[in-house]
Amino acid sequence: MKKILIGMIAMLFSVLALAQNGNTKLKFTKISNTIYSYTTYHLFSGNPFPSNSAYLVTNKGVVLFDTPWDETQFQPLLDSIEKKHNKKVIMCIATHFHDDRSAGLEYFANKGIATYTSKYTKELSVKNGNKIAQHTFEKDTVFNVGGYRFETFYPGEGHTRDNIVIWFPKEKFLYGGCFIKSVENNSLGNIADANVEAWDESVIKLMEKYPSPKYVLPGHFKGSKGNKALKHTLKLLQKNGD
Ligand SMILES: [Zn+2]
């Protein structure tokens, strides 16, 4: 009896450890009643580096904005969303060609999810050997899915030449992706494909387009209220130009 009990306790601990382990790989944050963000981690220079994506829950199903960076989390993400909201993922839009946005496009398409990027992103993905979406849009596009409206906006070159953002007019939520830097991040990050000369002008254009966001989520590290992250990104760029 004692042995069985010890065995059971050991099993319980390993299950708990697994659950905890799972949590550190895929973390969910509620932004509004219908919008969530999640974070996955990818080894970068030997250390786990966090990456944010978002999703919208509609009557027709769930829309993803970007894919997990960590490919071990493609299926766990779909499973967790289905369990949490009792809805299937039906659509995914990636906001630029880097793999922290696009890695899961092919996997999701194979699961019957309609995948989208801008035409420009597709061109750069092809050139760089990254995953491509099934569908493309050429200009800023308004999507209406299951009673919800959101729009893509191309502010100009910045983190990459193709980076777009997503705006949710009802919530005044701006999904900035890697074009926007978190207030807790004091570096411009990976600028290998950036246009740091044009980036500040593009941020100003974005601030003019959406002057009063309630909440802004960047591609990495935490989001913030109001336009703090936009101002912070501008400051980093101006410092960089000095
Ligand atoms: Zn990124």
Side-chain angles (χ1 to χ4, degrees):
M1 182 63 197
K2 208 176 170 187
K3 262 188 190 164
I4 293 172
L5 200 66
I6 290 169
M8 272 172 70
I9 290 170
M11 240 173 71
L12 188 68
F13 269 101
S14 63
V15 169
L16 281 175
L18 251 178
Q20 272 169 359
N21 201 17
N23 280 344
T24 59
K25 286 186 170 177
L26 187 60
K27 271 203 259 182
F28 290 86
T29 309
K30 190 173 178 177
I31 291 176
S32 77
N33 282 339
T34 50
I35 301 170
Y36 292 75
S37 72
Y38 67 88
T39 305
T40 61
Y41 298 81
H42 192 76
L43 276 188
F44 193 71
S45 314
N47 296 309
F49 195 84
S51 184
N52 304 324
S53 309
Y55 67 86
L56 169 73
V57 183
T58 80
N59 297 335
K60 286 221 173 112
V62 172
V63 182
L64 301 179
F65 303 95
D66 294 329
T67 83
W69 194 6
D70 179 356
E71 60 188 50
T72 68
Q73 298 306 305
F74 296 162
Q75 193 56 45
L77 174 72
L78 299 181
D79 295 343
S80 304
I81 288 176
E82 194 165 353
K83 208 171 144 199
K84 210 172 158 86
H85 305 286
N86 206 12
K87 286 191 172 135
K88 291 221 179 267
V89 174
I90 53 167
M91 185 175 167
C92 176
I93 303 179
T95 58
H96 68 263
F97 77 95
H98 282 164
D99 61 357
D100 61 342
R101 311 289 117 198
S102 64
L105 285 176
E106 203 177 275
Y107 185 91
F108 290 156
N110 286 334
K111 294 276 162 181
I113 296 164
T115 55
Y116 290 81
T117 63
S118 76
K119 206 176 158 205
Y120 195 9
T121 295
K122 185 177 180 177
E123 275 170 37
L124 293 178
S125 295
V126 169
K127 226 183 249 174
N128 288 275
N130 284 0
K131 303 288 190 236
I132 56 167
Q134 300 159 302
H135 310 281
T136 56
F137 46 87
E138 218 162 320
K139 293 180 183 151
D140 297 336
T141 303
V142 175
F143 287 88
N144 282 294
V145 182
Y148 285 87
R149 185 191 144 104
F150 56 87
E151 57 194 54
T152 69
F153 178 63
Y154 175 62
E157 299 186 356
H159 166 74
T160 54
R161 285 166 198 272
D162 62 324
N163 47 208
I164 59 165
V165 300
I166 315 281
W167 175 249
F168 300 78
K170 196 174 146 237
E171 288 84 2
K172 289 188 177 291
F173 165 55
L174 178 67
Y175 176 65
C178 302
F179 179 71
I180 296 301
K181 294 288 148 193
S182 167
V183 291
E184 48 173 25
N185 188 356
N186 281 315
S187 139
L188 287 176
N190 173 14
I191 52 167
D193 301 307
N195 182 346
V196 283
E197 302 298 311
W199 197 342
D200 56 346
E201 295 246 341
S202 304
V203 174
I204 290 166
K205 204 171 152 198
L206 178 60
M207 289 169 95
E208 282 168 1
K209 175 88 177 170
Y210 306 120
S212 45
K214 264 195 189 152
Y215 189 76
V216 178
L217 184 72
H220 304 275
F221 304 105
K222 73 171 188 193
S224 50
K225 286 184 181 161
N227 63 2
K228 271 183 244 159
L230 302 174
K231 281 187 179 161
H232 176 71
T233 305
L234 210 49
K235 210 165 77 189
L236 284 180
L237 287 161
Q238 281 158 354
K239 230 197 268 173
N240 188 69
D242 287 346

